[in-house]
Amino acid sequence: MLFTRIHTYYFPMRKEELKSRLVGKHVQIHNLDFEVFEKDLKLSIVPHAEQIDSIKTLPITSVVFDEEGNKTKVTVTSKMRKLDSGGPWLIMLFCSFMMLASLFVYNFNREPLVAQTLLGISASIIALFFVRMQMGYFDYVRKVRAYIKSKAEPIFTVNNMKLAA
């Protein structure tokens, strides 16, 4: 759940119209193709990762539509691919063990220099990890969300006023 992001939006258009704007389309994010297709009454946005040679952590996004009156409630859930989740969880586990080790060293051996060094290394690794995740995985998540929101905007404008399509 640490790497899962759930966002809810309300759009002033019908569910079928919003689906038709999204289904079958492709979106390019950082020169990577994401395909939008319908599966089990929801939309899935999946990256085509077979063209990548480098190691990347990519999201799989599902979009659920519910009509509530004259608005459509859209729930966007982005999860890390199971294939990619091993590395981030391993880093988190390693850093948490280093933090625990620093607490044990400080409490039982009374070696503050060693404990502070372990804690500093662990905090540095976590900070670097989260910066890299923000530039990579979470950037893909933000851009997929922005793509969905852009498809729900009105298409026509008349006298600088947006009208529903």
Side-chain angles (χ1 to χ4, degrees):
M1 295 305 278
L2 183 65
F3 302 111
T4 300
R5 295 292 180 255
I6 301 172
H7 292 79
T8 303
Y9 302 104
Y10 291 91
F11 297 121
M13 62 176 34
R14 293 181 33 238
K15 175 171 103 172
E16 291 80 21
E17 183 180 352
L18 191 54
K19 271 188 180 181
S20 69
R21 287 185 182 189
L22 291 168
V23 173
K25 306 287 192 235
H26 290 262
V27 59
Q28 287 281 112
I29 301 173
H30 299 299
N31 296 324
L32 182 63
D33 185 44
F34 284 77
E35 182 180 1
V36 183
F37 60 91
E38 191 168 6
K39 178 182 176 185
D40 300 331
L41 300 174
K42 64 181 178 181
L43 297 184
S44 293
I45 303 174
V46 180
H48 285 286
E50 59 271 0
Q51 63 200 22
I52 299 176
D53 293 332
S54 62
I55 297 174
K56 289 191 183 248
T57 305
L58 300 170
I60 293 178
T61 304
S62 65
V63 183
V64 178
F65 300 95
D66 293 319
E67 283 192 322
E68 295 182 356
N70 59 352
K71 293 185 178 183
T72 301
K73 177 183 174 184
V74 178
T75 305
V76 180
T77 305
S78 295
K79 293 182 179 180
M80 189 178 295
R81 297 185 310 168
K82 290 191 187 299
L83 176 70
D84 297 336
S85 65
W89 281 112
L90 190 63
I91 291 171
M92 295 299 294
L93 186 67
F94 174 72
C95 289
S96 62
F97 278 136
M98 279 184 58
M99 285 183 181
L100 284 174
S102 71
L103 289 174
F104 284 130
V105 167
Y106 183 74
N107 285 334
F108 295 120
N109 288 344
R110 300 288 183 207
E111 293 285 337
L113 185 61
V114 174
Q116 290 170 354
T117 303
L118 281 175
L119 190 63
I121 291 171
S122 177
S124 299
I125 291 172
I126 287 177
L128 182 65
F129 170 69
F130 275 109
V131 166
R132 294 285 299 162
M133 288 295 285
Q134 286 296 325
M135 291 172 31
Y137 172 75
F138 291 117
D139 189 41
Y140 285 110
V141 170
R142 284 190 297 272
K143 295 217 171 138
V144 166
R145 259 189 9 240
Y147 173 74
I148 293 168
K149 286 172 38 177
S150 74
K151 290 299 181 180
E153 291 179 357
I155 294 176
F156 303 107
T157 59
V158 176
N159 295 333
N160 296 327
M161 295 175 59
K162 290 186 178 181
L163 302 174

PDB file of all heavy atoms in Angstrom, residues 37-67:
ATOM      1  N   PHE A  37      -7.260   0.219 -22.177  1.00  0.00           N
ATOM      2  CA  PHE A  37      -8.237  -0.748 -22.647  1.00  0.00           C
ATOM      3  C   PHE A  37      -9.230  -1.081 -21.533  1.00  0.00           C
ATOM      4  O   PHE A  37      -8.959  -0.854 -20.359  1.00  0.00           O
ATOM      5  CB  PHE A  37      -7.559  -2.025 -23.180  1.00  0.00           C
ATOM      6  CG  PHE A  37      -6.729  -2.753 -22.164  1.00  0.00           C
ATOM      7  CD1 PHE A  37      -7.286  -3.752 -21.387  1.00  0.00           C
ATOM      8  CD2 PHE A  37      -5.392  -2.451 -22.005  1.00  0.00           C
ATOM      9  CE1 PHE A  37      -6.516  -4.425 -20.453  1.00  0.00           C
ATOM     10  CE2 PHE A  37      -4.614  -3.117 -21.072  1.00  0.00           C
ATOM     11  CZ  PHE A  37      -5.181  -4.106 -20.292  1.00  0.00           C
ATOM     12  N   GLU A  38     -10.388  -1.595 -21.932  1.00  0.00           N
ATOM     13  CA  GLU A  38     -11.438  -1.915 -20.966  1.00  0.00           C
ATOM     14  C   GLU A  38     -11.314  -3.367 -20.543  1.00  0.00           C
ATOM     15  O   GLU A  38     -11.129  -4.261 -21.364  1.00  0.00           O
ATOM     16  CB  GLU A  38     -12.813  -1.658 -21.585  1.00  0.00           C
ATOM     17  CG  GLU A  38     -13.920  -1.714 -20.570  1.00  0.00           C
ATOM     18  CD  GLU A  38     -15.231  -1.177 -21.108  1.00  0.00           C
ATOM     19  OE1 GLU A  38     -15.311  -0.868 -22.310  1.00  0.00           O
ATOM     20  OE2 GLU A  38     -16.172  -1.072 -20.316  1.00  0.00           O
ATOM     21  N   LYS A  39     -11.447  -3.585 -19.224  1.00  0.00           N
ATOM     22  CA  LYS A  39     -11.322  -4.932 -18.675  1.00  0.00           C
ATOM     23  C   LYS A  39     -12.171  -5.007 -17.405  1.00  0.00           C
ATOM     24  O   LYS A  39     -11.976  -4.214 -16.484  1.00  0.00           O
ATOM     25  CB  LYS A  39      -9.858  -5.225 -18.363  1.00  0.00           C
ATOM     26  CG  LYS A  39      -9.603  -6.570 -17.736  1.00  0.00           C
ATOM     27  CD  LYS A  39      -8.133  -6.737 -17.411  1.00  0.00           C
ATOM     28  CE  LYS A  39      -7.893  -8.036 -16.698  1.00  0.00           C
ATOM     29  NZ  LYS A  39      -6.510  -8.174 -16.278  1.00  0.00           N
ATOM     30  N   ASP A  40     -13.103  -5.925 -17.358  1.00  0.00           N
ATOM     31  CA  ASP A  40     -13.946  -6.148 -16.179  1.00  0.00           C
ATOM     32  C   ASP A  40     -14.665  -4.884 -15.710  1.00  0.00           C
ATOM     33  O   ASP A  40     -14.598  -4.508 -14.534  1.00  0.00           O
ATOM     34  CB  ASP A  40     -13.130  -6.736 -15.028  1.00  0.00           C
ATOM     35  CG  ASP A  40     -12.487  -8.060 -15.376  1.00  0.00           C
ATOM     36  OD1 ASP A  40     -13.059  -8.774 -16.207  1.00  0.00           O
ATOM     37  OD2 ASP A  40     -11.423  -8.360 -14.816  1.00  0.00           O
ATOM     38  N   LEU A  41     -15.348  -4.206 -16.595  1.00  0.00           N
ATOM     39  CA  LEU A  41     -16.129  -2.994 -16.309  1.00  0.00           C
ATOM     40  C   LEU A  41     -15.303  -1.829 -15.790  1.00  0.00           C
ATOM     41  O   LEU A  41     -15.825  -0.911 -15.163  1.00  0.00           O
ATOM     42  CB  LEU A  41     -17.264  -3.306 -15.318  1.00  0.00           C
ATOM     43  CG  LEU A  41     -18.280  -4.344 -15.780  1.00  0.00           C
ATOM     44  CD1 LEU A  41     -19.254  -4.658 -14.662  1.00  0.00           C
ATOM     45  CD2 LEU A  41     -18.996  -3.882 -17.029  1.00  0.00           C
ATOM     46  N   LYS A  42     -14.007  -1.865 -15.986  1.00  0.00           N
ATOM     47  CA  LYS A  42     -13.139  -0.740 -15.632  1.00  0.00           C
ATOM     48  C   LYS A  42     -12.088  -0.587 -16.719  1.00  0.00           C
ATOM     49  O   LYS A  42     -11.886  -1.478 -17.529  1.00  0.00           O
ATOM     50  CB  LYS A  42     -12.505  -0.927 -14.262  1.00  0.00           C
ATOM     51  CG  LYS A  42     -11.562  -2.105 -14.166  1.00  0.00           C
ATOM     52  CD  LYS A  42     -11.001  -2.236 -12.772  1.00  0.00           C
ATOM     53  CE  LYS A  42     -10.096  -3.450 -12.692  1.00  0.00           C
ATOM     54  NZ  LYS A  42      -9.545  -3.621 -11.368  1.00  0.00           N
ATOM     55  N   LEU A  43     -11.434   0.542 -16.723  1.00  0.00           N
ATOM     56  CA  LEU A  43     -10.364   0.779 -17.676  1.00  0.00           C
ATOM     57  C   LEU A  43      -9.032   0.454 -17.038  1.00  0.00           C
ATOM     58  O   LEU A  43      -8.822   0.712 -15.844  1.00  0.00           O
ATOM     59  CB  LEU A  43     -10.358   2.227 -18.143  1.00  0.00           C
ATOM     60  CG  LEU A  43     -11.574   2.727 -18.905  1.00  0.00           C
ATOM     61  CD1 LEU A  43     -11.340   4.156 -19.364  1.00  0.00           C
ATOM     62  CD2 LEU A  43     -11.883   1.849 -20.085  1.00  0.00           C
ATOM     63  N   SER A  44      -8.128  -0.079 -17.812  1.00  0.00           N
ATOM     64  CA  SER A  44      -6.767  -0.339 -17.358  1.00  0.00           C
ATOM     65  C   SER A  44      -5.809   0.430 -18.255  1.00  0.00           C
ATOM     66  O   SER A  44      -5.965   0.435 -19.477  1.00  0.00           O
ATOM     67  CB  SER A  44      -6.438  -1.825 -17.420  1.00  0.00           C
ATOM     68  OG  SER A  44      -7.206  -2.528 -16.477  1.00  0.00           O
ATOM     69  N   ILE A  45      -4.849   1.072 -17.639  1.00  0.00           N
ATOM     70  CA  ILE A  45      -3.811   1.795 -18.374  1.00  0.00           C
ATOM     71  C   ILE A  45      -2.497   1.101 -18.043  1.00  0.00           C
ATOM     72  O   ILE A  45      -2.003   1.181 -16.925  1.00  0.00           O
ATOM     73  CB  ILE A  45      -3.786   3.282 -17.986  1.00  0.00           C
ATOM     74  CG1 ILE A  45      -5.164   3.903 -18.243  1.00  0.00           C
ATOM     75  CG2 ILE A  45      -2.705   4.011 -18.762  1.00  0.00           C
ATOM     76  CD1 ILE A  45      -5.302   5.323 -17.758  1.00  0.00           C
ATOM     77  N   VAL A  46      -1.965   0.405 -19.050  1.00  0.00           N
ATOM     78  CA  VAL A  46      -0.824  -0.478 -18.845  1.00  0.00           C
ATOM     79  C   VAL A  46       0.332  -0.042 -19.737  1.00  0.00           C
ATOM     80  O   VAL A  46       0.134   0.247 -20.914  1.00  0.00           O
ATOM     81  CB  VAL A  46      -1.221  -1.937 -19.164  1.00  0.00           C
ATOM     82  CG1 VAL A  46      -0.064  -2.888 -18.955  1.00  0.00           C
ATOM     83  CG2 VAL A  46      -2.410  -2.359 -18.331  1.00  0.00           C
ATOM     84  N   PRO A  47       1.551   0.000 -19.188  1.00  0.00           N
ATOM     85  CA  PRO A  47       2.703   0.375 -20.019  1.00  0.00           C
ATOM     86  C   PRO A  47       3.141  -0.772 -20.917  1.00  0.00           C
ATOM     87  O   PRO A  47       3.013  -1.939 -20.566  1.00  0.00           O
ATOM     88  CB  PRO A  47       3.788   0.688 -18.983  1.00  0.00           C
ATOM     89  CG  PRO A  47       3.424  -0.149 -17.805  1.00  0.00           C
ATOM     90  CD  PRO A  47       1.928  -0.225 -17.798  1.00  0.00           C
ATOM     91  N   HIS A  48       3.632  -0.420 -22.095  1.00  0.00           N
ATOM     92  CA  HIS A  48       4.272  -1.400 -22.979  1.00  0.00           C
ATOM     93  C   HIS A  48       5.754  -1.391 -22.642  1.00  0.00           C
ATOM     94  O   HIS A  48       6.538  -0.648 -23.212  1.00  0.00           O
ATOM     95  CB  HIS A  48       4.052  -1.033 -24.448  1.00  0.00           C
ATOM     96  CG  HIS A  48       2.678  -1.308 -24.924  1.00  0.00           C
ATOM     97  ND1 HIS A  48       2.232  -2.581 -25.179  1.00  0.00           N
ATOM     98  CD2 HIS A  48       1.634  -0.487 -25.166  1.00  0.00           C
ATOM     99  CE1 HIS A  48       0.978  -2.532 -25.575  1.00  0.00           C
ATOM    100  NE2 HIS A  48       0.587  -1.265 -25.572  1.00  0.00           N
ATOM    101  N   ALA A  49       6.134  -2.220 -21.701  1.00  0.00           N
ATOM    102  CA  ALA A  49       7.499  -2.204 -21.178  1.00  0.00           C
ATOM    103  C   ALA A  49       8.439  -3.125 -21.931  1.00  0.00           C
ATOM    104  O   ALA A  49       9.623  -3.183 -21.620  1.00  0.00           O
ATOM    105  CB  ALA A  49       7.490  -2.581 -19.700  1.00  0.00           C
ATOM    106  N   GLU A  50       7.940  -3.836 -22.926  1.00  0.00           N
ATOM    107  CA  GLU A  50       8.826  -4.747 -23.661  1.00  0.00           C
ATOM    108  C   GLU A  50       9.851  -4.006 -24.494  1.00  0.00           C
ATOM    109  O   GLU A  50      10.846  -4.581 -24.909  1.00  0.00           O
ATOM    110  CB  GLU A  50       8.018  -5.705 -24.543  1.00  0.00           C
ATOM    111  CG  GLU A  50       7.143  -5.047 -25.569  1.00  0.00           C
ATOM    112  CD  GLU A  50       5.746  -4.712 -25.062  1.00  0.00           C
ATOM    113  OE1 GLU A  50       5.442  -4.994 -23.891  1.00  0.00           O
ATOM    114  OE2 GLU A  50       4.976  -4.148 -25.838  1.00  0.00           O
ATOM    115  N   GLN A  51       9.652  -2.714 -24.722  1.00  0.00           N
ATOM    116  CA  GLN A  51      10.597  -1.927 -25.510  1.00  0.00           C
ATOM    117  C   GLN A  51      11.678  -1.267 -24.660  1.00  0.00           C
ATOM    118  O   GLN A  51      12.523  -0.574 -25.175  1.00  0.00           O
ATOM    119  CB  GLN A  51       9.832  -0.857 -26.290  1.00  0.00           C
ATOM    120  CG  GLN A  51       9.118   0.134 -25.398  1.00  0.00           C
ATOM    121  CD  GLN A  51       7.995   0.865 -26.109  1.00  0.00           C
ATOM    122  OE1 GLN A  51       7.478   0.385 -27.096  1.00  0.00           O
ATOM    123  NE2 GLN A  51       7.643   2.019 -25.591  1.00  0.00           N
ATOM    124  N   ILE A  52      11.674  -1.523 -23.371  1.00  0.00           N
ATOM    125  CA  ILE A  52      12.623  -0.881 -22.458  1.00  0.00           C
ATOM    126  C   ILE A  52      13.781  -1.826 -22.159  1.00  0.00           C
ATOM    127  O   ILE A  52      13.575  -2.999 -21.871  1.00  0.00           O
ATOM    128  CB  ILE A  52      11.934  -0.514 -21.132  1.00  0.00           C
ATOM    129  CG1 ILE A  52      10.796   0.450 -21.373  1.00  0.00           C
ATOM    130  CG2 ILE A  52      12.921   0.082 -20.161  1.00  0.00           C
ATOM    131  CD1 ILE A  52      10.028   0.774 -20.121  1.00  0.00           C
ATOM    132  N   ASP A  53      14.996  -1.292 -22.226  1.00  0.00           N
ATOM    133  CA  ASP A  53      16.179  -2.076 -21.871  1.00  0.00           C
ATOM    134  C   ASP A  53      16.623  -1.806 -20.438  1.00  0.00           C
ATOM    135  O   ASP A  53      17.245  -2.648 -19.804  1.00  0.00           O
ATOM    136  CB  ASP A  53      17.334  -1.768 -22.826  1.00  0.00           C
ATOM    137  CG  ASP A  53      17.038  -2.243 -24.235  1.00  0.00           C
ATOM    138  OD1 ASP A  53      16.275  -3.224 -24.388  1.00  0.00           O
ATOM    139  OD2 ASP A  53      17.561  -1.644 -25.188  1.00  0.00           O
ATOM    140  N   SER A  54      16.321  -0.619 -19.921  1.00  0.00           N
ATOM    141  CA  SER A  54      16.760  -0.263 -18.578  1.00  0.00           C
ATOM    142  C   SER A  54      15.722  -0.701 -17.541  1.00  0.00           C
ATOM    143  O   SER A  54      14.598  -1.056 -17.873  1.00  0.00           O
ATOM    144  CB  SER A  54      16.967   1.249 -18.486  1.00  0.00           C
ATOM    145  OG  SER A  54      15.746   1.915 -18.726  1.00  0.00           O
ATOM    146  N   ILE A  55      16.126  -0.651 -16.298  1.00  0.00           N
ATOM    147  CA  ILE A  55      15.240  -1.030 -15.204  1.00  0.00           C
ATOM    148  C   ILE A  55      14.398   0.181 -14.826  1.00  0.00           C
ATOM    149  O   ILE A  55      14.927   1.239 -14.506  1.00  0.00           O
ATOM    150  CB  ILE A  55      16.051  -1.508 -13.985  1.00  0.00           C
ATOM    151  CG1 ILE A  55      16.846  -2.756 -14.350  1.00  0.00           C
ATOM    152  CG2 ILE A  55      15.134  -1.775 -12.806  1.00  0.00           C
ATOM    153  CD1 ILE A  55      17.786  -3.216 -13.269  1.00  0.00           C
ATOM    154  N   LYS A  56      13.077   0.035 -14.881  1.00  0.00           N
ATOM    155  CA  LYS A  56      12.160   1.107 -14.523  1.00  0.00           C
ATOM    156  C   LYS A  56      11.061   0.534 -13.653  1.00  0.00           C
ATOM    157  O   LYS A  56      10.655  -0.606 -13.824  1.00  0.00           O
ATOM    158  CB  LYS A  56      11.530   1.746 -15.754  1.00  0.00           C
ATOM    159  CG  LYS A  56      12.489   2.572 -16.564  1.00  0.00           C
ATOM    160  CD  LYS A  56      11.744   3.368 -17.587  1.00  0.00           C
ATOM    161  CE  LYS A  56      12.727   4.126 -18.436  1.00  0.00           C
ATOM    162  NZ  LYS A  56      12.679   5.526 -18.244  1.00  0.00           N
ATOM    163  N   THR A  57      10.580   1.335 -12.741  1.00  0.00           N
ATOM    164  CA  THR A  57       9.449   0.974 -11.914  1.00  0.00           C
ATOM    165  C   THR A  57       8.237   1.673 -12.505  1.00  0.00           C
ATOM    166  O   THR A  57       8.173   2.896 -12.524  1.00  0.00           O
ATOM    167  CB  THR A  57       9.676   1.416 -10.460  1.00  0.00           C
ATOM    168  OG1 THR A  57      10.914   0.867 -10.009  1.00  0.00           O
ATOM    169  CG2 THR A  57       8.566   0.940  -9.567  1.00  0.00           C
ATOM    170  N   LEU A  58       7.267   0.898 -12.987  1.00  0.00           N
ATOM    171  CA  LEU A  58       6.138   1.451 -13.724  1.00  0.00           C
ATOM    172  C   LEU A  58       4.812   1.115 -13.044  1.00  0.00           C
ATOM    173  O   LEU A  58       4.672   0.053 -12.437  1.00  0.00           O
ATOM    174  CB  LEU A  58       6.126   0.905 -15.148  1.00  0.00           C
ATOM    175  CG  LEU A  58       7.363   1.215 -15.974  1.00  0.00           C
ATOM    176  CD1 LEU A  58       7.346   0.419 -17.265  1.00  0.00           C
ATOM    177  CD2 LEU A  58       7.441   2.690 -16.257  1.00  0.00           C
ATOM    178  N   PRO A  59       3.832   2.020 -13.176  1.00  0.00           N
ATOM    179  CA  PRO A  59       2.523   1.756 -12.570  1.00  0.00           C
ATOM    180  C   PRO A  59       1.559   1.085 -13.547  1.00  0.00           C
ATOM    181  O   PRO A  59       1.662   1.233 -14.758  1.00  0.00           O
ATOM    182  CB  PRO A  59       2.019   3.159 -12.238  1.00  0.00           C
ATOM    183  CG  PRO A  59       2.591   4.004 -13.324  1.00  0.00           C
ATOM    184  CD  PRO A  59       3.951   3.409 -13.618  1.00  0.00           C
ATOM    185  N   ILE A  60       0.620   0.350 -12.971  1.00  0.00           N
ATOM    186  CA  ILE A  60      -0.549  -0.128 -13.701  1.00  0.00           C
ATOM    187  C   ILE A  60      -1.725   0.607 -13.078  1.00  0.00           C
ATOM    188  O   ILE A  60      -1.916   0.562 -11.861  1.00  0.00           O
ATOM    189  CB  ILE A  60      -0.720  -1.643 -13.590  1.00  0.00           C
ATOM    190  CG1 ILE A  60       0.429  -2.341 -14.307  1.00  0.00           C
ATOM    191  CG2 ILE A  60      -2.065  -2.085 -14.123  1.00  0.00           C
ATOM    192  CD1 ILE A  60       0.388  -3.838 -14.228  1.00  0.00           C
ATOM    193  N   THR A  61      -2.486   1.297 -13.905  1.00  0.00           N
ATOM    194  CA  THR A  61      -3.559   2.146 -13.406  1.00  0.00           C
ATOM    195  C   THR A  61      -4.907   1.568 -13.805  1.00  0.00           C
ATOM    196  O   THR A  61      -5.096   1.163 -14.943  1.00  0.00           O
ATOM    197  CB  THR A  61      -3.415   3.569 -13.979  1.00  0.00           C
ATOM    198  OG1 THR A  61      -2.111   4.054 -13.654  1.00  0.00           O
ATOM    199  CG2 THR A  61      -4.456   4.501 -13.413  1.00  0.00           C
ATOM    200  N   SER A  62      -5.826   1.531 -12.840  1.00  0.00           N
ATOM    201  CA  SER A  62      -7.198   1.134 -13.151  1.00  0.00           C
ATOM    202  C   SER A  62      -8.107   2.328 -12.883  1.00  0.00           C
ATOM    203  O   SER A  62      -7.890   3.095 -11.943  1.00  0.00           O
ATOM    204  CB  SER A  62      -7.627  -0.072 -12.318  1.00  0.00           C
ATOM    205  OG  SER A  62      -7.662   0.258 -10.952  1.00  0.00           O
ATOM    206  N   VAL A  63      -9.118   2.480 -13.747  1.00  0.00           N
ATOM    207  CA  VAL A  63     -10.041   3.606 -13.668  1.00  0.00           C
ATOM    208  C   VAL A  63     -11.449   3.038 -13.568  1.00  0.00           C
ATOM    209  O   VAL A  63     -11.884   2.299 -14.455  1.00  0.00           O
ATOM    210  CB  VAL A  63      -9.920   4.523 -14.908  1.00  0.00           C
ATOM    211  CG1 VAL A  63     -10.819   5.727 -14.773  1.00  0.00           C
ATOM    212  CG2 VAL A  63      -8.474   4.943 -15.125  1.00  0.00           C
ATOM    213  N   VAL A  64     -12.151   3.384 -12.474  1.00  0.00           N
ATOM    214  CA  VAL A  64     -13.510   2.903 -12.243  1.00  0.00           C
ATOM    215  C   VAL A  64     -14.460   4.083 -12.354  1.00  0.00           C
ATOM    216  O   VAL A  64     -14.205   5.145 -11.773  1.00  0.00           O
ATOM    217  CB  VAL A  64     -13.630   2.238 -10.853  1.00  0.00           C
ATOM    218  CG1 VAL A  64     -15.048   1.787 -10.589  1.00  0.00           C
ATOM    219  CG2 VAL A  64     -12.671   1.078 -10.731  1.00  0.00           C
ATOM    220  N   PHE A  65     -15.566   3.892 -13.080  1.00  0.00           N
ATOM    221  CA  PHE A  65     -16.553   4.943 -13.301  1.00  0.00           C
ATOM    222  C   PHE A  65     -17.843   4.602 -12.562  1.00  0.00           C
ATOM    223  O   PHE A  65     -18.318   3.472 -12.645  1.00  0.00           O
ATOM    224  CB  PHE A  65     -16.880   5.067 -14.796  1.00  0.00           C
ATOM    225  CG  PHE A  65     -15.704   5.407 -15.646  1.00  0.00           C
ATOM    226  CD1 PHE A  65     -14.984   4.416 -16.287  1.00  0.00           C
ATOM    227  CD2 PHE A  65     -15.310   6.716 -15.816  1.00  0.00           C
ATOM    228  CE1 PHE A  65     -13.902   4.719 -17.085  1.00  0.00           C
ATOM    229  CE2 PHE A  65     -14.229   7.035 -16.610  1.00  0.00           C
ATOM    230  CZ  PHE A  65     -13.526   6.040 -17.245  1.00  0.00           C
ATOM    231  N   ASP A  66     -18.413   5.587 -11.870  1.00  0.00           N
ATOM    232  CA  ASP A  66     -19.725   5.458 -11.236  1.00  0.00           C
ATOM    233  C   ASP A  66     -20.512   6.719 -11.531  1.00  0.00           C
ATOM    234  O   ASP A  66     -20.021   7.827 -11.275  1.00  0.00           O
ATOM    235  CB  ASP A  66     -19.593   5.295  -9.715  1.00  0.00           C
ATOM    236  CG  ASP A  66     -18.956   3.986  -9.313  1.00  0.00           C
ATOM    237  OD1 ASP A  66     -19.278   2.962  -9.932  1.00  0.00           O
ATOM    238  OD2 ASP A  66     -18.138   3.995  -8.372  1.00  0.00           O
ATOM    239  N   GLU A  67     -21.739   6.544 -12.043  1.00  0.00           N
ATOM    240  CA  GLU A  67     -22.576   7.714 -12.294  1.00  0.00           C
ATOM    241  C   GLU A  67     -23.332   8.066 -11.028  1.00  0.00           C
ATOM    242  O   GLU A  67     -23.963   7.214 -10.409  1.00  0.00           O
ATOM    243  CB  GLU A  67     -23.540   7.459 -13.447  1.00  0.00           C
ATOM    244  CG  GLU A  67     -22.866   7.541 -14.786  1.00  0.00           C
ATOM    245  CD  GLU A  67     -23.840   7.589 -15.937  1.00  0.00           C
ATOM    246  OE1 GLU A  67     -24.872   6.905 -15.873  1.00  0.00           O
ATOM    247  OE2 GLU A  67     -23.535   8.313 -16.893  1.00  0.00           O
TER     248      GLU A  67
END
